[in-house]
């Protein structure tokens, strides 16, 4: 009986440790949360110029059956992502056109962080 209690206590500590580590050090165990409320990646005053840039580049539009909203994840294959030019601000996001809307996407997770309409 005593061994079972010790085993359960050890299991509880082992399961609780990643949560404590995450709270104290910022380490995330499992899937990292996606932050989508950091503010716009492209300044509001630069958006018309960015839209013109995308039209000039003749970026092909892709279609997905889901709604194009902030936080949605785009498919792993079948969509091409493009670098945002430096003149629109330094960003690690990529852009593409989906269902007629230009979107900024976090490249690793393929999550939409901004819809540019």
């Amino acid at each position: 009986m005593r061994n079972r209690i010790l085993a359960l206590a050890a299991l509880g500590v082992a399961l609780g440790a990643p949560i404590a580590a995450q709270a104290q050090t910022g380490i995330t165990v499992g899937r990292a949360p996606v932050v989508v409320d950091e503010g716009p990646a492209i300044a509001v005053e630069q958006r018309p110029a960015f839209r013109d840039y995308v039209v000039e580049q003749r970026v092909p539009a892709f279609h997905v059956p889901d709604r194009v909203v902030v936080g949605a994840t785009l498919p792993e294959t079948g969509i091409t992502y493009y670098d945002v030019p430096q003149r629109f601000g330094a960003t690690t996001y990529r852009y593409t056109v989906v269902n007629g809307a230009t979107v900024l996407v976090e490249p690793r997770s393929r999550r939409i962080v901004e819809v540019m309409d």
Side-chain angles (χ1 to χ4, degrees):
M1 181 71 173
R2 185 175 178 190
N3 287 340
R4 285 187 184 178
I5 293 172
L6 289 174
L8 286 174
L11 181 62
V13 169
L15 291 176
I19 294 169
Q22 179 181 0
Q24 293 174 2
T25 64
I27 296 171
T28 302
V29 177
R31 251 183 218 204
V34 175
V35 177
V36 292
D37 57 350
E38 290 183 353
I42 295 178
V44 174
E45 62 272 2
Q46 291 184 322
R47 288 181 186 194
F50 182 71
R51 284 188 206 105
D52 291 344
Y53 170 81
V54 172
V55 170
E56 290 169 5
Q57 296 302 305
R58 296 184 182 190
V59 173
F62 298 95
H63 179 75
V64 296
D66 301 326
R67 289 183 34 198
V68 178
V69 295
V70 172
T73 302
L74 294 176
E76 192 169 345
T77 59
I79 296 181
T80 304
Y81 303 97
Y82 305 92
D83 291 331
V84 175
Q86 191 73 21
R87 70 179 184 216
F88 297 110
T91 181
T92 58
Y93 299 134
R94 302 279 190 307
Y95 77 92
T96 192
V97 178
V98 181
N99 296 356
T102 301
V103 296
L104 292 181
V105 178
E106 199 288 315
R108 290 184 187 152
S109 66
R110 301 174 324 280
R111 287 199 184 260
I112 297 172
V113 295
E114 192 169 344
V115 178
M116 308 282 293
D117 269 345

